[in-house]
Amino acid sequence: MSYGRAPARIEDHKFLTGAGQYVDDIRLPRQCHAAVVLSPHAHADILSIDPEAARKMPGVIAVLTGADVVSDGLGSVPPYILPIHWGGPPAFTTLRPILISDRVRCVGDRVAVVVAETVDQARAAADSVVVEYRVLDAVTDAEAALAQDAPIVWPENEAGNRSVTLHLGDAEKTRDAFAAASHVVRRSLESPRLAPAPLEPRACLGMFNASSGQFTLYTSSQDPHGCRKTLAGVVFKVPESSIRVISPDVGGGFGLKSHMFPEDAIVLWASRRVGRPVKWVGTRSESFLTDTQGRGQKVHAEMALDAAGRILGIRVQAYHNLGGYFWATATPPLFFSLRLIPNIYKVPAVDLTTHAVFTNLPPMAVYRGAGRPEATYVIERLMDAAAAEIGMDPADIRRINAISEQDMPYTNVVGFTYDSGAFREMIDQCLDAADWNGYPERAKQSAARGLLRGRSITSYVEIAGVMNERMELRFDPSGTLTILAGTHSHGQGHQTVFTQLVSGWLGIPQENIRYIQGDTDAVLIGRGTFAARSTQLGGTALLAAKDEIVARARGMAAIMLETPAEEIDFDHGLFRVRGTNRAVPLQEVAKMFYLPAGPVVKLGLGLSGQGTSSGLPGGAPNFPNGCQVCEVEVDPETGMVKVDRIVAIDDVGKILNAALCEGQIHGGMAQGLGQALMEEMTYGEDGQLLSGSFMDYGLPRAEHMPDITSHLLEIPAKTNPLGIKGIGESGAIGTPVSVVNAVLDAVRSRGVDDIGMPVSPPKLWAALNAAASGQ
Amino acid sequence: MLRVELVVNGQDVRRDVPDNMLLSTFLREEVQLTGTHIGCDTTQCGACVVSIDGETVKSCTMLALQANRRSVTTIEGIANGSELHPMQRAFSECHGLQCGYCTPGMVIAAIDIVERSEEPLTAARVREELKGNLCRCTGYVNIVKSVLRGAELMGRPVDRV
């Protein structure tokens, strides 16, 4: 089987020649364009909307408002998952109308839509829609929103601005642990709101066919079937078969594109209204205003340890900033930010709480890692704080607390069972790979240049494998094989990985295997791609589909070879009579399934196989994990941080394609470095967006990224037949705290022992100066 | 509306366009070459980089009219027929792309970096020169490798120390 390091991706050729097809590249006959009118206020009552001036503008075909949404009977969109689905308490959750007609709850709430002949005409007319608002006081901070006198985002919520509070652990046991502790460290920490910011902004193109009553939507989605389900079941209240959703090439997702957005419904609805295809493509400014955001958690955390540095207990009070709606995929970060806090360590007692709170910011949802980076930030900051307090080496405190290989499988204090892993070994390997012992010399060299050098070691664990998945393999009458995938690749390289697997199993050259994804008319059902799930669940489903193909084909091979099926082996694409050279290729067998007569009458017409896999709930997730060593140089004169080296070792389970695994790790680490040093959605106290473009929101550029050293550790997962662990998010999970802890190590000698993300030069410079002047 | 006459990937193109039409819009909507991508509206991301008379520009920062009587090369014009440009091959070989959205601008910028480099190309130089192009997927590690490899394939000296 052709596992391991693999040749270049099949996908690359089209992207390298400009032949990729993203939503905005698709142009339908008679298409027109939509522009959405967005709320300029974070919190306001809508008093009136006057579309008349806009209707008279050149090229305008229609102006639609919330009143039209109501008169057309379109439903409002609920959250994708609720806390009760994951065993949590009931939450106050909210519906989000396609267009708002009564009260806006964040800047960027959609108020009206203009449809016109050209994009420019639509945008110009959108500016002419007159909306009269009565501005209300806004609240932007989650902790402040729980104060008695805070502005209330949802008056009908009896719990004020609190949506739900999640608890985990044993408060009494944890209290005892703290009472018995030799050391207690405390920190107030924050993972600021982030923009997922895929390079392709969200886009959609909707068409309603009046003759068939069918909707077709092209959309930049990570999950076309999920999008169809919401559109059909909630918004239009039509059978799912009435809506075809196609996700063509998608220019990155990172969680942002894993749920339906109002514009997806707007273009279909507008198309039905105006009788023409309607396209909407977000500008980057619009993306910053209307996209869901990730992270957004404040935490008060404390850790109790014994005299030797062993963890006795962890206590956390956290606040998640939901924004104006409990919407989209807000649930996973709430849970994972608590449940991943024990990380790779033996933690006897926890008392973990997070409050999900409404504010007047745009909705929070998943972004690469979804809760795991927040959790890792909390425990790994505490670990370094504890090491500093006790006077231990940061590697030693991790090593003595790490779950050992002999303890596997290990069920931790929050009920996660780690099936495999070599956490201590990984720490040692990572220290070696990063030349941990050579650090003092490098620190001396940095000092000679007037720079402060610091280092960190970080352990992290991921949870991968949510929900079930389905894959199908189908031969056509000419013997050519097609994979119909329920997952959706938007940069990960699934075509390469899945055809590589199937090619290895069935002995069919990769270039002869067609790959189809992202079309709800072609693929029966699928869950799309997010949360590091695709190779594990898709691969497992594909294996089952392969087994069905081989089992059915064996019957035909038996007829062709005139030998009982039990005496026929399948290997390297050939059915062979055991112990002989009499063989027939699978592709020839497949063709027999399409003959108009003969054995096919008995065996059934056509050769295809389908397979499914079950993830959470119902199946077992697994726990990709890793270790990073990071070294930074801080310029005390400017507060500039340079990441000098970063070494990552990741246990990805069975490696299918090392290059793609490392590519995912690199990308995640860049996002993690961005989170640590430069990325932050910032708002004024009135809820106005201050970081509304790439000029104000810092995405890492090539010059910011070090040359990452990445090693893969292959410890097969025991929870799926392929031994795969997910890899899509690991880099984003460990890196933020890896960088911040290294910075703190660099400046601790200057009296700075705490700083928040992002560690921007002015923030660090101010902290250094404050410490120097004894403030 | 004003008439523009230019050469795009070796083909003569004549159109009447509004005087405020951006070159990026012109290429995508008028010439229907959609390999030139738009990722921001502030000239920050570089997904729309094209080459004009051998000089790279962000086509979202230029009017179609400004390209009048000039020769534009987009990503669709980089390969020699079915034979990929060495830089395109290098990106594929080094896994220098994931979602592919920033890739056209990256490839054109990369070729320009190599062609303009008088001294042996270094990784540090590539990182510095790529600051006009954003990638959200790759972490740049493999893009930098790709540019250096592309330089080698283009027969230019590379300093890997």
Side-chain angles (χ1 to χ4, degrees):
Chain A
M1 199 178 298
S2 57
Y3 283 162
R5 194 157 288 277
R9 297 194 312 172
I10 299 166
E11 293 91 336
D12 286 353
H13 191 275
K14 64 176 173 180
F15 294 138
L16 285 163
T17 55
Q21 194 179 47
Y22 304 88
V23 172
D24 192 27
D25 302 340
I26 297 165
R27 163 196 289 234
L28 297 177
R30 297 181 68 242
Q31 83 179 17
C32 50
H33 300 268
V36 181
V37 179
L38 304 178
S39 165
H41 303 294
H43 200 193
D45 283 326
I46 296 173
L47 302 180
S48 66
I49 302 176
D50 182 359
E52 286 316 310
R55 284 199 174 118
K56 294 186 186 112
M57 298 275 287
V60 171
I61 301 164
V63 183
L64 303 172
T65 68
D68 301 308
V69 172
V70 173
S71 69
D72 283 9
L74 302 186
S76 298
V77 184
Y80 187 68
I81 312 164
L82 297 173
I84 48 169
H85 297 147
W86 283 20
F92 182 86
T93 60
T94 59
L95 297 174
R96 199 174 197 202
I98 302 304
L99 295 173
I100 308 285
S101 52
D102 49 0
R103 176 175 289 188
V104 292
R105 291 179 167 84
C106 57
V107 170
D109 248 349
R110 288 88 165 157
V111 172
V113 60
V114 174
V115 181
E117 294 292 341
T118 71
V119 176
D120 288 348
Q121 288 169 339
R123 288 183 188 154
D127 288 342
S128 299
V129 175
V130 180
V131 185
E132 198 185 347
Y133 294 96
R134 179 171 55 227
V135 177
L136 305 169
D137 287 340
V139 60
T140 58
D141 179 86
E143 209 173 346
L146 289 181
Q148 284 292 333
D149 56 348
I152 294 297
V153 182
W154 291 92
E156 52 271 60
N157 181 9
E158 289 171 4
N161 284 327
R162 184 191 310 270
S163 164
V164 66
T165 295
L166 303 183
H167 291 289
L168 209 62
D170 184 329
E172 199 175 330
K173 201 171 156 200
T174 308
R175 202 178 310 127
D176 293 345
F178 274 79
S182 303
H183 304 278
V184 174
V185 287
R186 297 188 173 85
R187 285 290 181 276
S188 288
L189 305 164
E190 185 169 3
S191 290
R193 286 277 200 117
L194 302 179
L199 258 282
E200 181 206 23
R202 288 187 299 107
C204 46
L205 168 58
M207 177 176 64
F208 178 72
N209 184 331
S211 71
S212 64
Q214 290 285 121
F215 292 96
T216 302
L217 176 72
Y218 295 88
T219 182
S220 54
S221 175
Q222 297 174 230
D223 176 18
H225 287 89
C227 185
R228 179 180 72 170
K229 179 171 188 264
T230 306
L231 288 167
V234 175
V235 180
F236 293 104
K237 295 155 190 156
V238 297
E240 287 194 40
S241 55
S242 300
I243 300 181
R244 178 183 186 188
V245 177
I246 301 168
S247 288
D249 291 325
V250 172
F254 314 119
L256 169 69
K257 298 171 179 173
S258 59
H259 47 267
M260 196 214 88
F261 276 86
E263 288 81 8
D264 293 315
I266 285 171
V267 294
L268 288 177
W269 172 49
S271 174
R272 190 170 68 182
R273 277 249 176 173
V274 306
R276 294 169 60 177
V278 177
K279 182 188 272 189
W280 174 86
V281 178
T283 62
R284 183 57 60 180
S285 308
E286 212 166 357
S287 301
F288 275 110
L289 286 165
T290 65
D291 287 355
T292 52
Q293 297 164 19
R295 318 286 188 255
Q297 189 201 35
K298 281 177 114 176
V299 186
H300 304 295
E302 44 192 346
M303 181 190 273
L305 303 103
D306 68 14
R310 284 191 194 84
I311 303 169
L312 300 175
I314 298 173
R315 198 151 47 199
V316 158
Q317 278 285 324
Y319 301 85
H320 261 102
N321 190 329
L322 288 173
Y325 301 85
F326 191 115
W327 195 64
T329 49
T331 294
L334 303 182
F335 280 83
F336 289 141
S337 65
L338 297 185
R339 295 197 77 184
L340 272 297
I341 280 181
N343 201 350
I344 62 155
Y345 308 116
K346 289 185 176 176
V347 181
V350 294
D351 178 8
L352 311 174
T353 301
T354 196
H355 310 282
V357 183
F358 293 107
T359 66
N360 294 110
L361 297 187
M364 179 271 284
V366 296
Y367 165 55
R368 201 172 197 169
R372 293 85 152 174
E374 293 92 308
T376 309
Y377 188 65
V378 169
I379 182 144
E380 291 295 300
R381 281 290 309 269
L382 291 174
M383 291 300 276
D384 264 26
E389 153 133 357
I390 303 169
M392 283 181 81
D393 182 294
D396 288 340
I397 196 169
R398 287 171 170 85
R399 212 186 269 116
I400 66 161
N401 282 290
I403 299 158
S404 75
E405 221 172 333
Q406 292 75 45
D407 296 326
M408 294 290 176
Y410 182 87
T411 301
N412 74 5
V413 68
V414 298
F416 276 159
T417 301
Y418 298 162
D419 63 288
S420 63
F423 304 141
R424 290 181 190 176
E425 186 190 326
M426 191 140 52
I427 290 171
D428 291 337
Q429 279 192 23
C430 200
L431 294 174
D432 276 351
D435 185 25
W436 185 259
N437 294 332
Y439 173 81
E441 179 57 31
R442 291 191 292 277
K444 208 186 295 175
Q445 287 170 8
S446 298
R449 287 183 284 122
L451 302 173
L452 306 170
R453 197 175 189 94
R455 64 175 172 180
S456 68
I457 178 158
T458 306
S459 296
Y460 49 93
V461 66
E462 147 80 304
I463 175 170
V466 292
M467 296 200 281
N468 49 12
E469 194 50 87
R470 182 180 186 279
M471 305 290 266
E472 197 173 331
L473 286 168
R474 192 188 290 168
F475 279 98
D476 68 24
S478 65
T480 305
L481 185 61
T482 298
I483 299 171
L484 295 116
T487 51
H488 187 276
S489 180
H490 35 275
Q492 297 89 343
H494 292 176
Q495 181 173 8
T496 298
V497 172
F498 288 142
T499 59
Q500 189 185 320
L501 278 174
V502 171
S503 172
W505 291 330
L506 296 181
I508 295 171
Q510 253 183 298
E511 53 272 25
N512 292 352
I513 301 172
R514 191 173 171 232
Y515 177 76
I516 291 177
Q517 65 164 21
D519 180 345
T520 60
D521 265 13
V523 177
L524 176 64
I525 188 68
R527 303 296 171 201
T529 286
F530 41 84
R533 64 188 301 282
S534 292
T535 50
Q536 175 191 336
L537 293 164
T540 300
L542 203 55
L543 181 68
K546 181 273 291 183
D547 287 344
E548 189 184 345
I549 288 268
V550 173
R552 287 198 57 210
R554 190 186 302 274
M556 183 68 83
I559 293 166
M560 292 168 76
L561 293 165
E562 298 174 334
T563 304
E566 309 80 66
E567 292 170 28
I568 293 174
D569 294 326
F570 180 72
D571 191 27
H572 284 91
L574 290 177
F575 285 102
R576 186 189 305 272
V577 179
R578 198 168 303 139
T580 76
N581 282 332
R582 286 172 51 224
V584 57
L586 171 61
Q587 282 178 290
E588 293 307 312
V589 177
K591 287 181 194 171
M592 293 291 284
F593 276 90
Y594 292 90
L595 293 181
V600 67
V601 173
K602 197 170 80 183
L603 295 175
L605 178 59
L607 180 59
S608 63
Q610 57 152 316
T612 60
S613 58
S614 62
L616 270 177
N622 61 48
F623 298 89
N625 57 88
C627 185
Q628 287 185 11
V629 166
C630 175
E631 282 185 28
V632 301
E633 282 184 328
V634 172
D635 184 345
E637 299 297 320
T638 61
M640 280 291 290
V641 175
K642 181 190 160 206
V643 178
D644 180 63
R645 64 174 61 191
I646 192 158
V647 175
I649 297 196
D650 283 279
D651 168 13
V652 301
K654 187 78 183 162
I655 298 165
L656 297 189
N657 184 317
L660 298 191
C661 288
E662 284 167 7
Q664 289 296 307
I665 291 164
H666 293 169
M669 289 173 76
Q671 290 180 312
L673 184 144
Q675 174 172 353
L677 296 180
M678 57 190 84
E679 294 188 38
E680 181 180 22
M681 291 300 288
T682 48
Y683 291 86
E685 282 181 12
D686 55 356
Q688 287 294 331
L689 175 62
L690 304 176
S691 52
S693 78
F694 284 148
M695 293 193 291
D696 325 290
Y697 184 91
L699 238 49
R701 295 176 184 276
E703 59 181 337
H704 300 118
M705 286 303 297
D707 195 15
I708 296 165
T709 304
S710 167
H711 297 291
L712 303 177
L713 199 61
E714 193 169 30
I715 302 174
K718 296 194 169 78
T719 55
N720 68 73
L722 294 173
I724 297 169
K725 296 175 185 174
I727 191 50
E729 320 200 272
S730 300
I733 293 169
T735 307
V737 70
S738 183
V739 174
V740 172
N741 273 343
V743 171
L744 283 171
D745 185 53
V747 298
R748 195 170 282 117
S749 63
R750 298 284 180 107
V752 179
D753 72 345
D754 191 11
I755 197 156
M757 290 189 289
V759 185
S760 60
K763 196 188 280 179
L764 185 53
W765 184 85
L768 285 164
N769 280 284
S773 62
Q775 286 168 3
Chain B
M1 296 289 252
L2 289 162
R3 161 130 310 200
V4 292
E5 297 181 8
L6 66 168
V7 178
V8 180
N9 300 334
Q11 306 270 316
D12 289 335
V13 175
R14 290 189 192 85
R15 292 280 192 290
D16 292 325
V17 298
D19 49 10
N20 65 350
M21 180 179 269
L22 297 173
L23 179 60
S24 51
T25 310
F26 177 82
L27 293 169
R28 291 182 54 82
E29 302 295 328
E30 293 293 326
V31 195
Q32 296 188 30
L33 291 172
T34 55
T36 300
H37 295 151
I38 297 169
C40 70
D41 32 44
T42 51
T43 311
Q44 293 289 308
C45 80
C48 68
V49 168
V50 298
S51 176
I52 300 186
D53 294 334
E55 187 188 349
T56 57
V57 298
K58 291 182 173 173
S59 61
C60 75
T61 309
M62 191 167 167
L63 298 172
L65 283 174
Q66 292 174 286
N68 197 18
R69 301 186 193 289
R70 301 179 72 178
S71 177
V72 179
T73 304
T74 71
I75 190 66
E76 290 92 342
I78 294 294
N80 181 11
S82 62
E83 191 191 336
L84 292 182
H85 186 283
M87 189 59 77
Q88 290 170 313
R89 279 192 277 135
F91 267 74
S92 181
E93 195 181 300
C94 302
H95 189 29
L97 65 151
Q98 290 182 22
C99 81
Y101 200 76
C102 73
T103 305
M106 283 285 179
V107 168
I108 293 176
I111 293 169
D112 181 58
I113 291 168
V114 172
E115 286 178 345
R116 276 190 295 103
S117 178
E118 288 172 7
E119 290 161 7
L121 199 59
T122 63
R125 176 75 191 269
V126 173
R127 287 185 186 281
E128 167 74 17
E129 294 254 5
L130 273 179
K131 69 164 64 162
N133 292 71
L134 282 170
C135 170
R136 189 60 157 168
C137 293
T138 64
Y140 304 101
V141 175
N142 289 345
I143 290 177
V144 174
K145 274 187 199 155
S146 300
V147 180
L148 293 175
R149 178 68 183 139
E152 285 174 346
L153 293 175
M154 288 165 72
R156 301 300 180 100
V158 167
D159 182 357
R160 288 189 179 271
V161 177

